[in-house]
């Protein structure tokens, strides 16, 4: 049985096949409308989520399956003190596959050790978010027609941004990738990502504070919000929350084919005026998230498809 806990759990070749399947689903979703008939997805969300949870649920419903689960720790037996290990043992009796979001880093990995069904990490603390990474890769490939020879700008909260950490790990395996890490000093990419991924693999990267200095050289600009829920001190959050606001004026200096991505939700880091720019791809990501999660669940459930 396979789980998806870390983006590196999938090889580059496997990611390619999975994205190819997601593309085929996007081209003809009706063809896949019953491939998971009789299958059940459990969504165990110990932390609030809109897009990821609904995307998983829509993906399973789109394939003719059904969904059960909870959307907050307060509405689960976790409020009574039940461990993740015991919860997943029980859920394994009810469902065929599950997606887990948890505020504690490593919780989905621990669940996978006790699970009788495939476990998908739907985000654990500030650690990893592999299905968002698959969504990002599908969107980048659609916009740029490649996943190599790219300069990627990552901007905002790079310290707590689990989507950023997962995307760096995944893209570092492709050829000729360069990262520009744009953040205040307090929100820089953690040392373990810098040391164990970028330096360890000799991936070129720069850490800068001003987006205006580097936007003209980017193929991809990945914006993120400053995550209020990760701060212990509200004063620090208020000081940093509007560090970056992407505006139409700033977009004038970007390449004509640069793509702007954002895992959403956004707060104030992309002005509404940018939404109409053809380079804005963040709502494409939302749609792609459904297709790629359909492809992932089909793969982990070993569902036959033409």
């Amino acid at each position: 049985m396979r789980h998806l806990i870390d983006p590196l759990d999938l090889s580059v070749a496997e990611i390619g096949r999975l994205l190819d399947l997601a593309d085929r689903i996007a081209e003809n979703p009706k063809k896949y409308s019953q491939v998971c008939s009789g299958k059940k997805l459990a969504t165990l969300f110990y932390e609030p989520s809109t897009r990821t949870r609904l995307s998983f649920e829509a993906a399973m419903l789109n394939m003719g399956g059904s969904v059960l689960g909870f959307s907050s720790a307060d509405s689960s037996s976790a409020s009574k003190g039940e461990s993740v290990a015991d919860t997943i043992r029980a859920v394994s009796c009810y469902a065929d596959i599950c997606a887990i979001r948890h505020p504690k880093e490593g919780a989905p990995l621990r669940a996978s050790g006790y699970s009788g069904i495939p476990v998908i990490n739907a985000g654990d603390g500030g650690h990893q978010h592999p299905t968002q990474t698959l969504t990002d890769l599908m969107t980048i490939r659609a916009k740029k027609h490649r996943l190599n020879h790219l300069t990627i700008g990552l901007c905002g909260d790079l310290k707590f941004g689990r989507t950023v950490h997962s995307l760096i790990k995944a893209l570092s395996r492709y050829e000729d990738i360069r990262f520009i890490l744009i953040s205040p000093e307090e929100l820089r990419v953690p040392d373990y990502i810098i040391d164990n991924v970028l330096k360890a693999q000799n991936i070129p990267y720069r850490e800068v504070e001003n987006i205006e200095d580097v936007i003209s050289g980017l193929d991809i600009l990945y914006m993120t919000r400053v995550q209020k829920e990760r701060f212990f001190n509200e004063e620090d959050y208020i000081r940093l929350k509007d560090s970056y606001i992407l505006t139409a004026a700033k977009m004038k200096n970007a390449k004509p084919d640069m793509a702007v991505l954002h895992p959403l939700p956004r707060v104030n880091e992309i002005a509404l005026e940018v939404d109409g720019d053809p380079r804005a791809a963040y709502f494409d990501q939302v749609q792609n998230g459904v297709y790629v999660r359909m492809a992932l669940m089909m793969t982990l459930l070993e569902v036959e498809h033409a």
Side-chain angles (χ1 to χ4, degrees):
M1 184 195 316
R2 294 195 65 181
H3 310 284
L4 179 62
I5 306 300
D6 184 294
L8 301 188
D9 290 342
L10 296 169
S11 69
V12 170
E14 287 174 324
I15 287 176
R17 290 194 291 272
L18 200 148
L19 298 184
D20 289 344
L21 175 56
D23 285 342
R24 294 197 296 276
I25 293 171
E27 291 169 2
N28 186 7
K30 188 175 180 180
K31 179 179 178 181
Y32 300 86
S33 63
Q34 295 301 319
V35 293
C36 282
S37 178
K39 301 292 186 183
K40 298 185 184 71
L41 163 71
T43 52
L44 313 183
F45 277 64
Y46 294 85
E47 191 179 63
S49 168
T50 301
R51 270 149 303 279
T52 302
R53 182 171 62 83
L54 295 182
S55 179
F56 269 109
E57 294 180 358
M60 180 53 88
L61 295 173
N62 286 350
M63 297 188 291
S66 53
V67 176
L68 65 160
F70 52 84
S71 57
S72 74
D74 292 341
S75 60
S76 77
S77 289
S79 64
K80 304 173 186 174
E82 185 176 59
S83 67
V84 169
D86 281 357
T87 298
I88 194 64
R89 284 191 183 109
V91 170
S92 297
C93 300
Y94 308 143
D96 300 288
I97 190 169
C98 73
I100 300 179
R101 168 166 291 191
H102 203 288
K104 291 184 179 178
E105 297 176 358
L109 176 62
R110 179 168 175 76
S112 69
Y114 295 89
S115 180
I117 58 178
V119 171
I120 301 172
N121 179 3
D124 60 330
H127 193 211
Q128 301 289 341
H129 197 343
T131 62
Q132 180 63 49
T133 296
L134 293 173
T135 299
D136 299 337
L137 295 179
M138 181 179 180
T139 306
I140 292 171
R141 197 173 78 159
K143 292 294 181 184
K144 307 301 294 185
H145 308 292
R146 65 185 189 278
L147 287 173
N148 48 28
H149 308 298
L150 292 169
T151 299
I152 315 286
L154 300 161
C155 179
D157 182 352
L158 309 187
K159 178 179 180 180
F160 298 114
R162 57 194 172 201
T163 64
V164 168
H165 306 160
S166 287
L167 188 58
I168 289 175
K169 291 179 74 174
L171 279 173
S172 293
R173 295 187 294 178
Y174 293 87
E175 184 181 355
D176 190 25
I177 293 293
R178 300 166 299 281
F179 291 105
I180 308 294
L181 309 176
I182 311 158
S183 75
E185 185 173 356
E186 298 95 324
L187 297 178
R188 286 185 174 179
V189 171
D191 289 343
Y192 78 92
I193 296 288
I194 296 289
D195 294 337
N196 299 340
V197 181
L198 298 179
K199 289 183 178 177
Q201 300 181 58
N202 292 319
I203 307 295
Y205 75 95
R206 291 172 54 199
E207 293 184 295
V208 302
E209 294 195 13
N210 294 315
I211 192 171
E212 292 88 344
D213 293 343
V214 295
I215 194 171
S216 63
L218 302 178
D219 298 305
I220 301 291
L221 174 58
Y222 194 93
M223 298 294 295
T224 65
R225 73 182 170 94
V226 176
Q227 301 187 51
K228 182 179 180 180
E229 65 272 27
R230 310 290 179 208
F231 279 78
F232 294 108
N233 185 330
E234 186 169 358
E235 289 182 2
D236 287 341
Y237 168 71
I238 292 172
R239 178 170 55 84
L240 295 169
K241 66 184 179 72
D242 290 329
S243 296
Y244 303 101
I245 300 176
L246 184 64
T247 63
K250 293 175 183 173
M251 288 291 288
K252 289 181 180 177
N253 295 319
K255 293 180 180 178
D257 62 346
M258 185 189 77
V260 181
L261 276 66
H262 190 306
L264 301 179
R266 71 172 154 184
V267 179
N268 197 35
E269 55 277 359
I270 300 178
L272 296 178
E273 63 192 15
V274 178
D275 292 359
D277 192 306
R279 294 169 290 186
Y282 29 95
F283 290 112
D284 294 338
Q285 285 173 272
V286 178
Q287 181 63 70
N288 289 339
V290 177
Y291 298 137
V292 87
R293 289 181 175 103
M294 290 171 69
L296 175 64
M297 285 191 282
M298 287 176 64
T299 300
L300 295 181
L301 288 169
E302 299 181 348
V303 171
E304 295 288 335
H305 57 88

